[in-house]
Amino acid sequence: MEIKFIDYGTKEYNDTLELRNKVMRIPLGLNIHDEDFSCEKESVIVGAFEDESMLGVGVMSNKDDVYKVEYVCVDSDIQSRGVGSKMLDFLEKTAVKKGGKKISLDARVSAKEFYLRHGCRTDFA
């Protein structure tokens, strides 16, 4: 498996939208194509690939030295195989390399245990 950066607006970026739609929107009766993702022009976007197949996507934004993991999305057919863990690690290391001092995220309740296993903590302060 290879994790690589993806540029906004490319074919690979459009593939991330399709994966996010499949995993995160369609189950809720939503369509990702009804949303505006132009804010991702400045985001760090990564994809996990096996050969040419996209396994997962991670998106991280930043403001000054605070980075925010917006999405870690893994194809529902292969979840629990370590893809999300590797992408989260890659995003964290990227934030540090770019001078990040803090990493935050919002997560669905169903993903809470995933993030807790990776050292994240809930903080309502």
Side-chain angles (χ1 to χ4, degrees):
M1 179 181 62
E2 176 187 15
I3 298 177
K4 63 182 183 178
F5 294 103
I6 295 175
D7 292 324
Y8 178 86
T10 62
K11 180 203 175 301
E12 287 179 333
Y13 176 78
N14 290 333
D15 292 344
T16 74
L17 293 176
E18 294 308 317
L19 180 60
R20 290 187 268 175
N21 199 38
K22 172 187 173 185
V23 175
M24 302 175 79
R25 295 301 193 272
I26 291 173
L28 300 175
L30 303 172
N31 184 338
I32 205 163
H33 300 290
D34 295 334
E35 300 175 46
D36 178 12
F37 284 89
S38 60
C39 62
E40 291 185 354
K41 289 178 185 176
E42 304 300 320
S43 296
V44 174
I45 305 164
V46 300
F49 294 87
E50 193 165 89
D51 300 318
E52 296 297 314
S53 180
M54 182 177 290
L55 307 175
V57 59
V59 179
M60 182 172 63
S61 62
N62 81 291
K63 182 172 177 152
D64 301 321
D65 61 356
V66 177
Y67 283 75
K68 181 179 180 188
V69 176
E70 302 287 349
Y71 298 96
V72 172
C73 175
V74 176
D75 192 319
S76 49
D77 298 332
I78 61 158
Q79 289 178 356
S80 299
R81 295 188 188 169
V83 175
S85 298
K86 289 177 182 169
M87 284 194 308
L88 183 59
D89 183 60
F90 190 91
L91 288 169
E92 289 173 344
K93 287 178 180 172
T94 299
V96 170
K97 285 179 187 175
K98 291 180 172 283
K101 302 292 183 206
K102 180 179 179 180
I103 300 173
S104 67
L105 60 91
D106 293 323
R108 294 180 177 182
V109 172
S110 60
K112 180 179 176 182
E113 291 304 316
F114 168 80
Y115 289 109
L116 290 174
R117 281 194 312 272
H118 290 87
C120 299
R121 62 182 173 83
T122 58
D123 185 3
F124 298 104

